[in-house]
Amino acid sequence: MSSADDQYEQQNDVTGGDVPSGSKIDNDYASRTGQYQIPVQKDEAPVADPINPDTADSDQTLAQDDKEAIDQSNIIGGRTRENPKAVPLTCHGHSRPITHLSFSAVLDDDQYYLVSACKDNNPMLRDGVTGDWVGTFIGHKGAVWQARLSTDASLAATASADFSAMIWDTHTGECLHTLTHAHIVRAVAFPSQPRPQLIATGGFEKKLRIFDLSSSTSASSTSSSPTSPNGAGPSTSIPSYEIGPGVHGGPIKSVIWSTDLNILITAADDKIVRWWDLRARSPAATYELEGYPGTCELDSLSSKPSLSIAAGKSAYFFSGTQPGQLLKKITTPKDISAVALHAEQRKFITGSAGDTWVRVFDFDSESELEVQKGHHGPIWTISFSPDGKLYATGSEDGTVKLWKFGSDPYGLWR
């Protein structure tokens, strides 16, 4: 006796010449004018994303991904071959866009730390290898635009929209100094030395200032000197002096202390990079960019440091030891908001305000090698770890991601 399944198949299965004809495309589910819902593409559309088709994967890309996924040569002992596109570590905790990331140098036991600046007012300290949260510096009353660690990770400096820069003890979380300004502070920099006693700042005042932390004195409650705008730290009077009064024609976006401690580098919205000789208090060299500066960072992974600057659609790479010496300028199809160079590996990483992807390029051929996906907003900051084995990205989506750089096992990627 036949089963119910057999009877159903006899009545409904296509047999002989009863092959259905017509178009295989069915667009009944496609969005129509007037519907208030997430749009759905038609079958014949070349990409699957109707919201941002310029950045969506094409059908050809998806087909290639499927092909690679079932390629037997990518399977070893039941596990996928080691792939440079390892899953990134995602560091949550911030509630608004990430504006800047900075690593310390490598400390004892191959340990190092990462500090993140964010528009949520609260910079965070993390384990640089694992991304684990260590602590949050509480005190700013405005967006924090930049944060840096001293090389020994004993101090952190933050620049904020609350018209102040703060110096923090990373062991206790205590605010040691509050440096008041007359406008938004966008940039801070330490010299490359343990527990530095100097700090440079820049911002919307269009002034490059250097503060001597070793000469701070407590201000009395009756003093007419500016006090902390937020009460986070002691009210202190710290002597400072301005370098090159009236020279900057726009807000200072980045300040970098060179490996030569007599040289400070600024990138401002007048589109000019300046190398300041602190002995002469005047520029030793200048360079005009073709766009407004994005990130500006010193790469010290190799014996020959270099300065990487993002501006417009170009990444600029300067010598880290010879002021104003341009090593290479690489132009890409998209605007670049952030760039970081790994000089030893001859590769650089970029982020863009126009999409959510991290791109890896070959420095010599200038060709795009990889596209890393995972963020859900533009990428504003990129930094390599001091050992060069991972890099960190900070995004509009409020997350920090750590990406393994290279194929060897490292940290939590084991």
Side-chain angles (χ1 to χ4, degrees), residues 61-312:
T61 301
L62 295 173
Q64 180 64 27
D65 289 344
D66 290 341
K67 181 179 178 181
E68 292 176 356
I70 62 175
D71 186 347
Q72 292 300 313
S73 66
N74 286 331
I75 306 298
I76 299 178
R79 297 185 61 187
T80 304
R81 183 193 302 275
E82 181 68 29
N83 193 313
K85 288 189 177 181
V87 175
L89 304 177
T90 301
C91 308
H92 297 283
H94 285 297
S95 59
R96 297 204 63 203
I98 308 298
T99 54
H100 188 252
L101 298 169
S102 175
F103 283 99
S104 71
V106 177
L107 309 177
D108 296 335
D109 301 323
D110 296 328
Q111 179 65 56
Y112 54 85
Y113 294 91
L114 171 68
V115 67
S116 55
C118 182
K119 290 184 179 180
D120 65 5
N121 310 352
N122 300 319
M124 291 186 180
L125 183 67
R126 296 182 182 275
D127 183 305
V129 179
T130 65
D132 290 341
W133 177 83
V134 175
T136 302
F137 301 108
I138 303 295
H140 278 298
K141 300 300 183 182
V144 178
W145 285 105
Q146 200 168 85
R148 294 193 185 276
L149 291 171
S150 59
T151 54
D152 62 356
S154 64
L155 297 176
T158 53
S160 174
D162 65 9
F163 293 21
S164 78
M166 290 186 176
I167 313 301
W168 309 83
D169 185 310
T170 58
H171 298 287
T172 65
E174 176 189 3
C175 177
L176 302 176
H177 307 286
T178 299
L179 312 177
T180 55
H181 293 66
H183 213 315
I184 293 168
V185 187
R186 288 295 301 264
V188 287
F190 283 125
S192 182
Q193 53 189 209
R195 202 161 183 91
Q197 294 303 304
L198 295 175
I199 181 78
T201 67
F204 277 67
E205 289 179 321
K206 305 177 186 178
K207 296 178 180 180
L208 172 60
R209 294 185 178 187
I210 296 179
F211 292 82
D212 184 354
L213 304 180
S214 64
S215 301
S216 65
T217 57
S218 296
S220 67
S221 58
T222 59
S223 171
S224 60
S225 301
T227 58
S228 167
N230 43 41
S235 173
T236 55
S237 176
I238 298 179
S240 68
Y241 57 92
E242 183 181 354
I243 303 295
V247 173
H248 291 97
I252 299 172
K253 292 295 186 64
S254 290
V255 178
I256 301 290
W257 218 302
S258 173
T259 52
D260 179 351
L261 300 186
N262 292 310
I263 300 294
L264 263 175
I265 305 163
T266 59
D269 268 355
D270 57 9
K271 301 181 183 179
I272 297 178
V273 184
R274 297 174 174 87
W275 287 258
W276 294 90
D277 187 326
L278 299 184
R279 295 159 295 194
R281 298 196 182 186
S282 63
T286 62
Y287 186 95
E288 186 169 357
L289 305 170
E290 293 182 358
Y292 293 106
T295 60
C296 177
E297 299 294 338
L298 193 66
D299 159 44
S300 55
L301 294 174
S302 68
S303 58
K304 297 181 179 179
S306 59
L307 179 72
S308 304
I309 300 178

Side-chain angles (χ1 to χ4, degrees), residues 317-339:
F317 302 98
F318 295 90
S319 167
T321 56
Q322 300 297 320
Q325 182 182 355
L326 180 67
L327 302 177
K328 195 168 191 178
K329 173 190 170 186
I330 298 176
T331 301
T332 70
K334 291 182 174 292
D335 284 333
I336 301 175
S337 57
V339 63

